[in-house]
Amino acid sequence: MFAISAKNLTKSYDGRTFALNDLSLDIPQGGVFGFLGPNGAGKTTTVKLLTGLLKPTKGECRVLDLAPEKNPCEVHRLCGVMTETARMYGQLTGMQNLVFFAQAFGMSKEACNQRGAELLKELDLWDARDKKLSAYSTGMEQRLSLARALINRPQVLFLDEPTSGLDPESAQAVNALITALAKNTGTTVFLCTHQLRYAQDICSNYGIIEKGSLLAAGDLPTLCKNIGLQIKAGFRLTEGDTLEGFTADNGWWQTEVKTEQDMPQLLKKIIESGHDVFEARLVKPTLEDVYFGYVERQGVLQ
Ligand SMILES: Nc1ncnc2c1ncn2[C@@H]1O[C@H](COP(=O)(O)OP(=O)(O)OP(=O)(O)O)[C@@H](O)[C@H]1O
Ligand SMILES: [Mg+2]
């Protein structure tokens, strides 16, 4: 059973243009899936369809083998959702908000308090637990939304830009929490984000979407391979020394290699041919390279 699957999932808000066009995707259980794309690409629309907040114009989707459109309550019981627009109660304190939402899941009073306290501590909100939400800063409110999404220990967690309003320290803490969740509890995380550097640290697989169309999906090595991005091996030699078949780049002699396993052999060959090597490095394509590779290529094809 996949954690999430979509087949030809399509959404048009106005009947003319497609916010999401023919999305087909299977996401296995466990791990963090990074859903990447520019503003207006269709990420939030996808989350809303997968959580039953919107009905598809065409196609279908399943979350833990349940159709969100038909079983929204069951999907919400097993999932957690944090969207940009999720609102809680300003007149209630942080703790009261969490207890309120925990009760909605039928948890006992004691379990609500315990889980609420646990999450407030984990998200560094314990000192603000008795403050009204209306007095929280944007970043604090965002962290409380994440706590709310986690209250029922979800099997699938949908996060729509969970770190966009957070300072670097809080963002790092939230990313560590997401990583630990996926690793220790087997939670599947569907993460929409623009923050590619963070995404590369915490995601195991990716989907890249633009203008409602999925451009690519897979892990980083697969995406690199499909777009022709390769690992480069670089060597810094005695000044004036040259390496035939390599390209010069700012004092480094570079060549493409298939895998990093090629490096020792290459280094040995260069030394054995009489060169002095002062530094050697591997330059791997980043998620940013991959993302812009796909998004820009799409621009050229249109
Ligand atoms: N309620 C709505 N009514 C009409 N059009 C909408 C609605 N919500 C989204 N859209 C349109 O659907 C498209 C996809 O929007 P969506 O919010 O899914 O993008 P996104 O990838 O989440 O963007 P962002 O990175 O800015 O959050 C956009 O063209 C947007 O204008
Ligand atoms: Mg969005």
Side-chain angles (χ1 to χ4, degrees):
M1 177 174 68
F2 289 110
I4 296 168
S5 66
K7 207 168 162 214
N8 309 115
L9 194 63
T10 300
K11 178 70 189 177
S12 174
Y13 290 100
D14 59 9
R16 287 180 294 114
T17 54
F18 292 107
L20 187 66
N21 197 359
D22 232 8
L23 174 76
S24 292
L25 185 66
D26 290 319
I27 301 174
Q29 292 187 49
V32 184
F33 181 84
F35 203 41
L36 318 170
N39 292 135
K43 302 180 296 295
T44 300
T45 300
T46 305
V47 169
K48 288 182 175 168
L49 289 163
L50 293 174
T51 52
L53 296 171
L54 279 179
K55 286 193 191 322
T57 307
K58 212 186 78 189
E60 57 192 71
C61 57
R62 297 188 89 79
V63 175
L64 297 169
D65 228 9
L66 295 162
E69 207 190 332
K70 292 184 192 123
N71 305 292
C73 294
E74 192 61 5
V75 168
H76 279 269
R77 198 177 62 77
L78 299 171
C79 299
V81 191
M82 177 191 173
T83 59
E84 302 144 297
T85 48
R87 286 276 164 263
M88 288 177 284
Y89 297 100
Q91 289 312 304
L92 298 183
T93 67
M95 185 62 156
Q96 286 168 340
N97 265 293
L98 291 187
V99 168
F100 174 84
F101 286 102
Q103 278 172 337
F105 284 104
M107 288 160 72
S108 72
K109 199 162 177 238
E110 201 191 334
C112 292
N113 285 324
Q114 204 180 347
R115 183 71 178 142
E118 195 176 293
L119 288 168
L120 287 170
K121 283 178 191 161
E122 216 163 339
L123 286 156
D124 201 18
L125 289 169
W126 182 242
D127 291 344
R129 65 189 178 281
D130 296 326
K131 238 187 195 186
K132 282 189 179 168
L133 178 62
S134 53
Y136 273 31
S137 72
T138 309
M140 289 161 77
E141 189 176 344
Q142 209 165 352
R143 278 179 280 145
L144 193 70
S145 301
L146 179 57
R148 190 193 88 166
L150 291 169
I151 202 91
N152 57 329
R153 300 181 198 276
Q155 290 181 36
V156 180
L157 180 63
F158 293 93
L159 300 176
D160 198 354
E161 293 291 344
T163 50
S164 60
L166 301 186
D167 63 58
E169 203 184 334
S170 305
Q172 217 164 43
V174 166
N175 285 327
L177 181 97
I178 296 169
T179 311
L181 259 178
K183 201 167 153 220
N184 305 334
T185 66
T187 310
T188 309
V189 183
F190 187 92
L191 170 74
C192 302
T193 186
H194 295 121
Q195 296 173 326
L196 303 177
R197 297 237 170 95
Y198 285 135
Q200 185 169 351
D201 289 341
I202 65 176
C203 299
S204 38
N205 279 288
Y206 306 90
I208 301 176
I209 183 172
E210 195 190 16
K211 295 191 181 128
S213 297
L214 187 72
L215 305 182
D219 59 15
L220 192 55
T222 308
L223 295 179
C224 288
K225 197 168 142 233
N226 291 350
I227 205 170
L229 286 175
Q230 280 199 306
I231 303 173
K232 283 183 185 155
F235 303 92
R236 207 167 58 76
L237 312 173
T238 311
E239 220 177 308
D241 208 357
T242 58
L243 273 182
E244 212 174 310
F246 285 58
T247 47
D249 179 14
N250 217 4
W252 289 83
W253 289 92
Q254 295 200 148
T255 188
E256 288 182 349
V257 290
K258 283 212 165 56
T259 77
E260 59 184 36
Q261 307 304 324
D262 295 342
M263 187 66 168
Q265 201 55 34
L266 197 57
L267 184 57
K268 202 165 156 216
K269 223 169 97 186
I270 294 170
I271 293 169
E272 279 174 359
S273 61
H275 297 281
D276 288 330
V277 178
F278 287 82
E279 274 184 87
R281 68 179 184 191
L282 278 169
V283 184
K284 294 182 189 171
T286 62
L287 183 59
E288 213 164 66
D289 297 330
V290 168
Y291 176 86
F292 286 112
Y294 277 100
V295 171
E296 276 164 17
R297 189 175 69 165
Q298 182 67 7
V300 170
L301 293 178
Q302 275 172 353

